[in-house]
Amino acid sequence: MSSTVAGHFHDHRQQSRANTLGLWIFLATEVLFFGALFAAYLIYRVLYPQAFETAARETEIAIGTLNTALLLTSSASVAMAVKTARLGQRRATMVLLGVTLALGLGFLAAKGFEYHSDLTKHLWPGSADFPLDPPQTRIFWALYWIMTGIHAVHVTAGLGLWAVILTMIARRSFPLESSDKVEIAGLYWHLVDLVWIFLWPILYLVGRS
Amino acid sequence: MSARPHKAASAAEPREKTLRAWLREFRAELIVWLALMLLAAATFVLAYLPLGPFHPLTSMGIAVAKALVVALFFMHLKRESATIRLAAAAGLVFLGVLFTLTLADYLSRPPGVELDAVRATRAQTPQQP
Amino acid sequence: MNEPGIWLPQASSEAAATDTILIALLVVSSAIVLLVAGLITVFAIRYRKGSPASREPLPSIFARDVEFGWTFATLGLFIAIFAWAASQNITLAHPPAARMEIHVLAKRWMWKVEHAGGQGEIDELHVPAGELVELIMQSEDVIHSFYVPAFRVKQDVVPGHTERLRFTPEKPGTYHLFCAEYCGTDHSRMIGRVVVQSPEEFAAWLTRQPQEDDLAKSGRQLFVRFGCAGCHEGQASVRAPRLSGLFGAPVQLADGRTVTADDAYVRDSILQPKRDIVAGYDPVMPSFAGVVSDGEIAGLTAYIRALRAPADGGVY
Amino acid sequence: MSDIPLRDVRLETDPHVGFETSYLGEGFSLWSWLTTTDHKRIAILYLISTTIFFFLGGAAAVLIRLELFTPQGDLLTAEAYNRTFTLHGVIMVWFFLVPVIPTVLGNFLLPLMIGAKDVAFPRLNLFSWYLNIIGGGLAVAAMLAGGVDTGWTFYTPYSTIYSNGHVSLTAIGVFVAGFSTIATGINMIVTVHTLRTNGMRWFRLPLFVWAIYATSLIMLLSTPVLAMVLVLIIAERLFGLGVFNPDLGGDPILFQHLFWFYSHPAVYIMILPGMGVVTEVITCFARRRVFGYQFMVYALLGIAVIGFFVWGHHMFTSGQSMYASLAFSMLSFLVAVPSAIKVFNWTATLYRGQITWEASMIYALGFVGLFTMGGLTGLFLASVPVDIHVHDTYFVVAHFHYIMVGGMVSAFFAGLHFWWPKITGRLYPEFVAQIAAGMMFAGFNLTFFPQFILGNLGMPRRYYAYPPEFQVWHVLSSAGAVILAFAYLLPMAYLLWSLIWGKRAGDNPWDASGLEWQTRSPPPKHNFVEAPFVSEDVYDYHPENAPRGSGADDRRYDDRDIAGEKADAAESGRRHRAAETPPATAQARRASKTREPSDGEGR
């Protein structure tokens, strides 16, 4: 049973406090990792407001909004899974994690479809026949591809994590109530959702009025 | 958000869980979820209203609200120790430093010094300050 | 320009102002270094192991007051130095109008200077003494930095920006011009001279310059700068076709075709030399694509067109 | 040098305590080393890898100095020179200076100093070493495949559009190494927060632990921005997603903002651990408590926080707005104040001490001198008009080498020599070490002081050919570099020699205070046979013939305080012993019994 107290910790409370603090510090680094991109977006939005609005009108707002709904719901299902895991309800936790996985895969599928339609509209800044006029729109789209791309990588990593935890719960390889694996993975997933909460308004809702 | 402990909390709870029991058990999470969806809908609607210069303000305001809701309730920041809250805040504080001091450079550039492309776009749109 | 000293001549008004702050900082810093190093050596000798000096513990209030003392002392000293240094910059906030504007174009590994009257210079800048000069600088490719050590002025030339550098040359003479921001292979060759002349000399110099720049003359300089002269001229070690009298003449190619050497041929052989190789020569010429811009190719072509007489490899 | 009074070192007399029962003894196979999660072994792995990177970067430095011996570049072509100084920059910054003290001395000593068995996340610690090796491998592969010619700063648009070097491969290497630094940072902070032994309050932590804590804060808050900047470079080079492309209206100055937001705090990542090491060494060999302990702690945290506000002083000439430059200049002057406080406190610590001149003390006092000069030349660069003159010249090169080589590398050697007996259980030859320390100090000054003059004369950075009038200073500098290179090889030789033939050091050869000296050297696998209990303040030194009185630096707890702590320690000791079942041999317990503070009879 791998989740008993590790050798160098006195007791379980100290170990889970260490795990939570370690994860929250990692989340701070993730905030700054995406933060550098938001800083670049902020500067260019201040410099070229018109170009960013014309560029943002081309984004697929329907898929973006669907993805927001999917991620918010998956955040809720993860919160429920954390509660049931702490109460030791193995079956409920597995169901809820399954729902989370489904929502996440839905997000990626919608994202893939959106990328496909973006590419057919030549909205790739590197391509010669980029349809939009002022060259600064290419900067918006460069930021769009980098931001949503890196976010998608984080979503995929999160889904991988959930899949591993789900199989471990299924094989009962760790005591559900005394381990904080589900809670730690949950914190990471909520951050991925938090980043999308900010990505959605600045990439999709700009220039709609 | 103290949910009432479920009676038979053992691993082999009854197979067909009634919807009402399920709703009662996750009342807290569902309320938070609903709040998030409402906020998302609100920001979506506001995006289409002609607010002009207030657009970034409202969309960012609602995004911050949603972020706080997720952080405080789903990530249980409300009951975590001070150190963990400090760690959560540290990332944002230093991000704020990056934003403010970089903006300080871009906003305080006198007319002759800004990017050529910026001067060109500002020349084309005279009503933009 | 090249007498090895320990201090640069103060050749501009900015130099004098900057030097006073530099010397003041030097004095303050050496005082602090001597204080710290002196104290360390004194303590090391006086309180070495086994020395008879007294080891009474220090009274507690002494420790705390000294600590606050030197904290605020250093804080005050540093703020004072900042205020003095900043005051010199504040005066630049609303600059007087400069009568003399010179356009500078920085491109990979050369400075192209163009005076108001159209006189052009490469890697050189003639300025009159005693007059406020404003350089309006742009870069064609990467970040360069216009740096004249004797004037104590430096300004990066960032592509996409129009940078302005303002200074008042004082002392006539010839001074170094460096590119201070790393810009690629020949970053250390992107240097030149700034010649400060008295106003009369400068006016005379201006009239002697040809009004509009002679394309073939600048082509010649490019021909040397890019190293074409190294192979295509004189008794070069590498066998390369002679270019004098080439323009308009038919050229026998290695694959049997003959083409007339026109603008397109010269352009192609610069950008893709491996495409049509002259008969009897091996394909050793490196491609200059991305290194040579269109303007320069026009200059080189004009120069090659001017190479009529086959005698000594061309007219300068 | 030999007549300088040395402490007669107490040797380990008990033969069979030592190698077999230490962390080194329990299996020497390659597999046991490559999969260890023991923080002490990971520290040794890091020591080996950082030393290899140090000599790789040093070789590039020697090449550069030989090239600059003559005004016209004749040793290397321009292309090769550019790739050499980039190799020197990338390898030294990211694979030696940033990781070395936190991962070698920090990893080994932090758990020992706070009385813990290991760091909070041992597997993450090993993963961090592997990330560092993979990152280093990628960077070296890029160098071997042809190298990068952008300088370690990767300024766009040269790095993204015009450079034909292996920029993307190096960027990926540094990206991976960045996550190794983040992993170390997380480990250190969580360890200090959660694993301190009983009695080890925050203000009883040794200043080395505070220094590593402050460094980890900076590592965690700045490295992610570097990671993103590298991703943006790779995105622009490989996929054409031009965020900084001037043709599209992008601004290369924005790249500089994001890059220096990491790179200035990075220079504090490099120097803060050095400050921690120097404090430990000076207090031990001056036999005095540090002067103004709390001011030193607040100075460390002050540098860590204000270090994030000052990056704009790298961009005074870059076309940044003049008002922002003035703001950054002001903040740069502020960040210099805590450093000044620390220098004055080190000097005051020597006052009324019992100073002896072991090798690590020579390095430490060398650090204080050279760091003072480095810090003060930083003031030149912080004031805008002077920086406009000397920016991107050899004045800047001399400034940051004074801080990094004169400061940080001397501190690393001080720490290496000070804790060598604890890490290996062996003593290095003192006299040879003192010679090497003196030679490094002299060689360093001869190498880098002429560069201040060169910088003031206007010699730009990264030039491989220069006007002939600068040659006299370059010849001096190159001569110094040869001495410095030899001074770096000497310690490697006698330290390795001491591994086999060095005298066996006891638990505490320097009679130093600190928990790491209360366990055996080399320490057992779980560091302490029984959990140590801390009751006095840190640096419990006092000079030989000085009465223990109520002086400022001999603050004694009143009896009620000590009784209270002994009570809760006994209770937690019982709980701890119950949870722990080490096969404690008789000698191990006798050797590591907490040593009674020797009243008045000190060596």
Side-chain angles (χ1 to χ4, degrees), chain D residues 137-441:
Chain D
L138 286 171
V140 168
M143 298 301 161
L144 296 180
V148 191
D149 62 349
T150 61
W152 77 281
T153 43
F154 295 118
Y155 269 15
T156 64
Y158 184 72
S159 64
T160 46
I161 298 170
Y162 290 90
S163 167
N164 47 28
H166 297 264
V167 178
S168 302
L169 190 55
T170 314
I172 294 169
V174 175
F175 179 85
V176 169
F179 282 97
S180 151
T181 324
I182 288 177
T184 309
I186 293 175
N187 235 325
M188 296 296 169
I189 288 195
V190 175
T191 306
V192 173
H193 269 281
T194 55
L195 293 178
R196 282 169 286 128
T197 188
N198 28 33
M200 182 58 88
R201 295 202 205 104
W202 279 98
F203 279 103
R204 284 192 186 148
L205 288 173
L207 275 165
F208 177 75
V209 173
W210 273 111
I212 296 294
Y213 183 79
T215 310
S216 305
L217 279 180
I218 311 174
M219 281 182 189
L220 288 168
L221 293 170
S222 64
T223 314
V225 177
L226 169 79
M228 182 49 74
V229 164
L230 293 171
V231 163
L232 292 177
I233 290 178
I234 296 166
E236 185 154 356
R237 273 187 79 86
L238 299 186
F239 308 113
L241 299 173
V243 172
F244 305 114
N245 186 349
D247 311 334
L248 309 175
D251 190 3
I253 297 179
L254 179 60
F255 169 85
Q256 292 177 22
H257 274 295
L258 294 176
F259 177 80
W260 288 111
F261 179 81
Y262 161 75
S263 294
H264 190 80
V267 306
Y268 292 116
I269 291 178
M270 298 170 198
I271 198 65
L272 283 187
M275 292 177 173
V277 167
V278 161
T279 310
E280 300 291 321
V281 169
I282 288 182
T283 46
C284 169
F285 292 108
R287 308 307 300 166
R288 284 218 66 90
R289 253 181 234 287
V290 72
F291 187 88
Y293 173 87
Q294 293 199 330
F295 273 80
M296 291 291 254
V297 169
Y298 294 135
L300 279 174
L301 297 175
I303 292 175
V305 171
I306 305 175
F308 278 91
F309 295 79
V310 296
W311 78 80
H313 58 234
H314 296 277
M315 299 155 61
F316 285 156
T317 65
S318 73
Q320 174 179 256
S321 100
M322 205 259 303
Y323 303 102
S325 295
L326 288 179
F328 280 121
S329 168
M330 164 82 161
L331 292 165
S332 303
F333 273 102
L334 286 188
V335 83
V337 172
S339 305
I341 292 173
K342 290 192 84 70
V343 166
F344 294 143
N345 281 355
W346 284 319
T347 318
T349 306
L350 299 173
Y351 182 58
R352 291 192 171 175
Q354 290 284 353
I355 297 168
T356 52
W357 280 88
E358 275 76 357
S360 35
M361 187 57 158
I362 298 175
Y363 282 120
L365 291 182
F367 169 94
V368 174
L370 299 177
F371 174 71
T372 308
M373 289 181 65
L376 289 169
T377 46
L379 294 187
F380 288 64
L381 299 168
S383 54
V384 178
V386 177
D387 182 77
I388 284 179
H389 169 46
V390 287
H391 178 68
D392 263 341
T393 67
Y394 265 72
F395 191 92
V396 173
V397 174
H399 161 69
F400 66 70
H401 278 91
Y402 256 81
I403 301 242
M404 287 196 222
V405 180
M408 200 235 110
V409 175
S410 307
F412 172 60
F413 276 86
L416 202 59
H417 287 74
F418 182 60
W419 281 296
W420 188 258
K422 182 52 68 180
I423 295 172
T424 62
R426 297 285 170 160
L427 276 168
Y428 57 84
E430 195 56 56
F431 182 63
V432 182
Q434 286 167 327
I435 297 292
M439 189 189 297
M440 185 186 288
F441 186 80

Side-chain angles (χ1 to χ4, degrees), chain A residues 140-173:
Chain A
F140 174 88
W141 277 92
L143 285 171
Y144 165 84
W145 286 101
I146 296 172
M147 283 174 158
T148 50
I150 291 179
H151 179 265
V153 165
H154 280 75
V155 168
T156 320
L159 292 181
L161 207 59
W162 287 129
V164 164
I165 290 178
L166 194 57
T167 45
M168 282 167 80
I169 298 177
R171 279 205 237 101
R172 296 175 190 275
S173 58

Side-chain angles (χ1 to χ4, degrees), chain A residues 8 10 14 19 25 32 44 48, chain D residues 120 194 220-221 243 249 251 576:
Chain A
H8 53 284
H10 286 310
Q14 189 184 35
N19 291 343
I25 294 173
L32 273 153
Y44 283 129
Y48 308 113
Chain D
T194 55
L220 288 168
L221 293 170
V243 172
D251 190 3
H576 180 62

Side-chain angles (χ1 to χ4, degrees), chain C residues 1-8 18-19 21-23 25-30 32-33 35-36 39-40 43-64 66-68 70-71 74-75 78-79 81-82 85-86 88-90 92-94 108-109 140-143 145 147-161 163 176-191 290, chain D residues 5-8 78-79 82 85 149-151 155-158 162 246 250-253 256 288 291-292 294-295 316-319 322-323 326-327 329-330 333-334 336-337 340-341 343-345 347-348 350-357 365 368-369 372-373 376-377 379-380 383-393 395 453 455-465 467 469-470 472-473 543-547 549-554 603:
Chain C
M1 177 164 74
N2 40 29
E3 68 295 337
I6 203 162
W7 205 268
L8 279 170
T18 306
D19 272 7
I21 298 179
L22 191 67
I23 291 165
L25 274 169
L26 207 58
V27 166
V28 168
S29 304
S30 7
I32 296 178
V33 166
L35 171 75
V36 168
L39 278 179
I40 290 178
F43 290 160
I45 295 161
R46 192 166 144 69
Y47 296 108
R48 68 188 179 290
K49 176 172 169 320
S51 76
S54 92
R55 292 327 195 272
E56 282 304 313
L58 335 107
S60 64
I61 56 112
F62 171 66
R64 192 154 293 284
V66 163
E67 195 80 61
F68 281 121
W70 63 44
T71 309
T74 34
L75 187 66
F78 289 170
I79 298 297
I81 298 173
F82 161 73
Q88 190 189 348
N89 275 66
I90 300 292
L92 300 177
H94 16 75
R108 271 177 0 127
W109 308 313
E140 216 175 72
D141 35 47
V142 290
I143 303 176
S145 186
Y147 175 41
V148 185
F151 294 172
R152 312 293 190 281
V153 287
K154 177 189 285 110
Q155 179 55 51
D156 284 13
V157 189
V158 182
H161 287 248
E163 306 288 0
H176 278 302
L177 160 65
F178 292 129
C179 169
E181 182 57 55
Y182 178 70
C183 57
T185 315
D186 279 348
H187 167 55
S188 46
R189 283 225 167 70
M190 192 172 168
I191 54 181
Chain D
L6 282 186
R7 174 168 327 292
D8 47 23
E79 199 53 42
N82 295 342
F85 78 70
D149 62 349
T150 61
Y155 269 15
T156 64
Y158 184 72
Y162 290 90
D251 190 3
I253 297 179
Q256 292 177 22
R288 284 218 66 90
F291 187 88
Q294 293 199 330
F295 273 80
F316 285 156
T317 65
S318 73
M322 205 259 303
Y323 303 102
L326 288 179
S329 168
M330 164 82 161
F333 273 102
L334 286 188
V337 172
I341 292 173
V343 166
F344 294 143
N345 281 355
T347 318
L350 299 173
Y351 182 58
R352 291 192 171 175
Q354 290 284 353
I355 297 168
T356 52
W357 280 88
L365 291 182
V368 174
T372 308
M373 289 181 65
L376 289 169
T377 46
L379 294 187
F380 288 64
S383 54
V384 178
V386 177
D387 182 77
I388 284 179
H389 169 46
V390 287
H391 178 68
D392 263 341
T393 67
F395 191 92
I453 299 165
N456 194 24
L457 290 176
M459 160 83 188
R461 277 173 77 179
R462 296 168 171 174
Y463 264 34
Y464 96 113
E469 72 257 27
F470 294 142
V472 59
W473 308 109
E544 221 161 78
N545 44 21
S550 64
D553 57 356
D554 275 343
R603 290 294 167 279

Side-chain angles (χ1 to χ4, degrees), chain A residues 61 205-209, chain B residues 42-51 55 58:
Chain A
I61 188 160
L205 301 183
V206 171
R208 294 295 177 188
S209 66
Chain B
T43 196
F44 183 82
V45 165
L46 284 175
Y48 281 92
L49 300 180
L51 300 177
H55 264 300
T58 52

